[in-house]
Amino acid sequence: MCDWPGMRSEYNWLPPAGSVTRTKPHQVGVSFTAHRGAVFGLPGRSSTADIRAGAVFVTGSEEIIWTEIGETAEALEIYPSDVLLRSMGGSGDAIAPAMAADDATVLAAASILRRAHLTGTPMSDMAASTVAHRLAGHLLERYAGIRQDRQRVGRLDAKTVDRVAEYVDARLGGQLTLDALAAVAALSPYHFARGFKATTGMAPHQFVTARRVDRARALLLGSSMSVAEIAHEVGLSNVRHFRQLFRRQLGVLPGELRKIRPSPVGPAV
């Protein structure tokens, strides 16, 4: 668990759940692993669904109850400060729940925090508070309908960010360029790069790298492919460079991950 200015984050790597587990209220979390046939929901309203890697869960005033998770789970939960939310015109109670949502802005924030957890490299107070403010404003706009006009200048709308993220995930094994991503957003490369960083906290190339490393992690733990094969599969044919990026993002080398956590964590998606 890490306490940051304006928020708290908890990183978890959990074995398959043989009993009921609960996600606490007033948090937003990302499942970095995929799950088939997961059973979860609000009290008295459970459902069964497949969860893709990178799915976002937002809890309002009620907890999420998980009764069946068949795979090892890697997740990061973020608890925004209610003091911060109130200073921005909202509160945790105003945020509506969302289950397995596509939300690239939250995914980017969680990826930044996960890297800090795994590498042991803490963020500065300024960097952490910037992530907290960006995330809180996004949550209030998207899940509480409270506009943050003062923060909109230079930012992309959520649908554009999600569309770019979908494009990236569909082409991780091929060539991804700033021009191509900017075209998806219907912006010039210059304005897209500035807007994407202002919205997510990650430059476009940093987001692409994080998504490639996530896909590589899933393949390492969910397949028998070699490290070189996986590097090629995620568009990083230089194996040495791939290993460096992997360790920079997750704190371990690809081969070390398989030794530390040898159990599959779900489908490589």
Side-chain angles (χ1 to χ4, degrees), residues 54-235:
V56 170
F57 291 81
V58 181
T59 58
S61 58
E62 294 184 287
E63 62 188 3
I64 299 177
I65 300 174
W66 303 79
T67 56
E68 189 174 334
I69 296 292
E71 302 86 16
T72 299
E74 182 191 12
L76 187 129
E77 298 176 351
I78 309 169
Y79 296 82
S81 163
D82 205 54
V83 173
L84 174 60
L85 292 171
R86 290 185 183 281
S87 75
M88 300 174 75
S91 70
D93 289 330
I95 295 174
M99 303 288 182
D102 293 323
D103 190 331
T105 304
V106 170
L107 175 59
S111 297
I112 293 170
L113 293 171
R114 180 179 67 160
R115 181 178 177 182
H117 278 271
L118 291 177
T119 63
T121 306
M123 292 187 294
S124 69
D125 50 359
M126 279 296 298
S129 62
T130 299
V131 172
H133 275 266
R134 186 182 293 114
L135 178 64
H138 172 75
L139 293 175
L140 290 175
E141 282 201 345
R142 183 157 181 167
Y143 301 101
I146 301 172
R147 286 192 58 81
Q148 303 292 303
D149 292 330
R150 290 175 296 175
Q151 298 189 18
R152 294 305 307 172
V153 177
R155 291 176 57 198
L156 307 181
D157 64 89
K159 290 183 179 179
T160 298
V161 175
D162 290 347
R163 188 166 66 248
V164 170
E166 183 179 3
Y167 178 89
V168 169
D169 282 351
R171 293 164 176 80
L172 289 176
Q175 185 181 68
L176 287 166
T177 66
L178 178 63
D179 295 89
L181 270 60
V184 172
L187 292 169
S188 71
Y190 173 79
H191 286 97
F192 168 71
R194 285 175 60 90
F196 192 87
K197 176 69 179 290
T199 307
T200 67
M202 303 178 86
H205 75 274
Q206 293 172 324
F207 183 80
V208 169
T209 295
R211 298 308 294 147
R212 281 176 162 158
V213 169
D214 276 352
R215 177 72 61 83
R217 177 201 49 76
L219 290 170
L220 280 163
L221 298 175
S223 77
S224 59
M225 296 171 66
S226 70
V227 170
E229 289 172 332
I230 290 172
H232 181 78
E233 184 72 15
V234 299

Side-chain angles (χ1 to χ4, degrees), residues 220 227 246-247 251-262:
L220 280 163
V227 170
F246 198 92
R247 180 164 59 183
V252 294
L253 290 168
E256 294 173 338
L257 182 70
R258 275 182 164 162
K259 294 176 182 178
I260 297 169
R261 293 160 177 161

